[in-house]
Amino acid sequence: MLLRLLYLLLFCILPIGPVIALDRAKVERQFQGWLVQEIWPEAKAAGVRRGTFDAAFSGVSLNWKLPDLVPPGSSGTAPRRQRQAEFGAPGRYFNRASVDGAATMGRRMAKRHAAVLARVEQKTGVPGRIILAIWGRESGYGQVAIPHNVFEVLGTKGFMSRRADYFRKELIAALQIAEAGHAPKATMKSSWAGALGQPQFMPTSFLEFAVDGDGDGRADIWRSEADTIASIGGYLARHGWDKTRDWGFEVQVPATVSCALEGPDQGQSIRKWEALGITRSSGRPFPAHERVGKAYLMMPAGTNGPAFLVTPNFSVLKEYNKSDLYALFVGHVGDRIQFGVKDFTGRWGKVDSMLRSDVAAMQRGLEALGHDVGGADGLAGFRTRRSIGRWQEASGRAATCFPSMAMRDVLAH
């Protein structure tokens, strides 16, 4: 009996490895067929020559290590790989090493590339310090390795990911970039998501916004610092950067001003915010020309962290990356590079240890009460933060405008 059970166990277990290998081999053949039958005709119609196409995919195979893959024949309902299931405290984004490193290297780059930065600022109106801060955040001023073959990444994702249509479009754009000769002769390098070069442009953004900054006829954002600087500046200018305004100011918010007033749709002139008692944390007055301009309240940790009045240029920074914290990092590091400012005056307070699923449960509870939280995604954007504040005020609680486990326990039921 024992021998029979052992035989059955081996019978069930041993074939698993070969079956998985055979399935992947089958999917690989489907991928190669897809490239020839579907992608090549589309690339040809977009002006890509066969030699360019063949060179791009020479030796390319599926990368099974990429996230959010849905192989052919699967249900597509497998749990999504969540890279950071933990809800992150906003203050972590501004760790000492990241901020100081970006600012210190940025000041060196400001001297090294002063002429190019001045030329791009004159043309686009975007301050050199802002361009430098984005460059530093995206690729460490070109020092961070960009390891992936873009055709492997976009080919894999265009063939079998949850956003296949999006990545297929980016794949065709990447082939057009190769056809135009902008990239180095070596394999085009990208991030795991397909973002290219030192500014980390997706291929469609490259085609629309990449700029030849050194006059050699190519927009080589992999090797050319001048092209990188000009491309970042051009991107922000094309998205509406106002050269007459700053990005924003750290402020002190009195207890009489509700944190639920946060958000771009509740913006008003800085003069009106001053009338409510809001002042600059530095103690200096707001510039006269800024006082008549519109700004909105931004409190990324609610009352448990620094507060800011940000201008429409802050929204332009978010066109580069949708995160409030990203845009704040760029503005702050840029100010450190040019003006030598120190840490924020406001301190990041302690945040409850939570999972994103905890925050999502809380968001669903708020939605059930009629609040617009911007979607139950487990992230605390401004709509979620102010919805928390409005719920707290309506229920007689002190408004903090930030998630907590105690709040989750109430709202998730």
Side-chain angles (χ1 to χ4, degrees):
M1 184 67 176
L2 182 61
L3 184 61
R4 184 181 178 186
L5 288 174
L6 180 60
Y7 173 79
L8 289 172
L9 182 62
L10 289 172
F11 181 84
C12 293
I13 293 176
L14 287 178
I16 290 178
V19 168
I20 292 174
L22 180 63
D23 287 345
R24 288 198 174 187
K26 179 180 178 181
V27 174
E28 183 67 46
R29 289 194 297 273
Q30 291 175 326
F31 170 63
Q32 297 297 333
W34 174 77
L35 289 175
V36 174
Q37 296 163 19
E38 296 192 35
I39 298 305
W40 162 239
E42 191 172 341
K44 182 180 180 181
V48 177
R49 294 174 297 173
R50 185 61 191 240
T52 302
F53 180 87
D54 289 343
F57 291 106
S58 177
V60 167
S61 59
L62 290 169
N63 184 342
W64 292 87
K65 296 180 181 179
L66 297 174
D68 293 339
L69 300 183
V70 184
S74 68
S75 65
T77 59
R80 182 175 301 198
R81 284 172 56 187
Q82 197 167 17
R83 299 172 71 88
Q84 291 185 332
E86 183 183 2
F87 176 70
R92 294 181 192 171
Y93 204 90
F94 300 88
N95 67 79
R96 176 72 60 185
S98 295
V99 173
D100 287 355
T104 299
M105 181 61 75
R107 286 190 284 271
R108 294 177 193 163
M109 290 295 182
K111 294 178 180 178
R112 183 180 304 175
H113 300 290
V116 174
L117 287 163
R119 185 169 67 248
V120 172
E121 182 169 348
Q122 176 67 28
K123 182 177 181 179
T124 66
V126 180
R129 73 182 195 275
I130 296 296
I131 295 172
L132 288 168
I134 288 178
W135 186 15
R137 186 63 185 176
E138 294 296 331
S139 65
Y141 304 99
Q143 302 303 304
V144 174
I146 303 170
H148 296 288
N149 178 333
V150 69
F151 299 109
E152 177 185 85
V153 169
L154 295 178
T156 299
K157 286 180 167 288
F159 178 66
M160 57 173 194
S161 77
R162 287 180 170 82
R163 301 174 64 199
D165 289 344
Y166 167 79
F167 287 109
R168 180 172 177 153
K169 181 179 179 182
E170 295 296 341
L171 176 59
I172 299 301
L175 287 165
Q176 290 177 299
I177 293 168
E179 179 64 40
H182 292 293
K185 291 183 179 179
T187 303
M188 285 169 57
K189 297 295 184 180
S190 78
S191 71
W192 65 267
L196 300 171
Q198 297 185 44
Q200 288 288 276
F201 281 176
M202 291 302 291
T204 53
S205 290
F206 178 102
L207 292 177
E208 187 170 1
F209 302 112
V211 175
D212 172 17
D214 54 20
D216 67 354
R218 296 188 301 274
D220 184 353
I221 60 173
W222 293 266
R223 298 175 299 182
S224 171
E225 290 87 354
D227 291 1
T228 295
I229 290 168
S231 296
I232 294 172
Y235 183 96
L236 295 177
R238 294 272 299 278
H239 281 85
W241 185 273
D242 182 351
K243 66 180 181 180
T244 69
R245 304 291 306 274
D246 208 327
W247 66 268
F249 308 89
E250 187 185 0
V251 296
Q252 297 291 329
V253 179
T256 53
V257 176
S258 171
C259 55
L261 291 175
E262 183 180 8
D265 54 344
Q266 299 188 100
Q268 57 186 343
S269 71
I270 289 180
R271 180 180 293 163
K272 290 183 178 178
W273 289 114
E274 286 183 296
L276 295 175
I278 290 179
T279 59
R280 289 183 69 178
S281 295
S282 65
R284 296 190 296 272
F286 291 100
H289 72 281
E290 292 279 12
R291 293 184 69 235
V292 298
K294 191 174 183 179
Y296 70 88
L297 184 63
M298 205 270 289
M299 302 177 71
T303 59
N304 204 28
F308 306 86
L309 285 181
V310 297
T311 76
N313 282 339
F314 189 83
S315 297
V316 175
L317 293 179
K318 289 182 65 175
E319 291 293 334
Y320 211 101
N321 183 307
K322 298 300 183 183
S323 165
D324 284 340
L325 297 179
Y326 177 93
L328 183 56
F329 183 96
V330 167
H332 180 58
V333 168
D335 288 351
R336 280 179 171 242
I337 290 171
Q338 183 167 341
F339 305 124
V341 302
K342 304 301 182 183
D343 289 340
F344 296 129
T345 300
R347 297 300 175 213
W348 302 101
K350 182 176 175 56
V351 171
D352 285 354
S353 178
M354 292 178 283
L355 300 178
R356 282 181 55 175
S357 57
D358 293 321
V359 178
M362 180 205 68
Q363 289 171 317
R364 288 190 292 271
L366 287 167
E367 286 178 330
L369 294 173
H371 293 280
D372 174 14
V373 299
D377 56 4
L379 302 173
F382 77 87
R383 286 188 176 86
T384 292
R385 296 194 297 265
R386 72 184 186 191
S387 292
I388 290 170
R390 290 168 180 172
W391 170 77
Q392 288 171 320
E393 290 173 346
S395 57
R397 296 170 169 87
T400 64
C401 296
F402 204 73
S404 69
M405 284 304 291
M407 185 184 310
R408 187 262 185 208
D409 292 340
V410 174
L411 287 170
H413 291 85

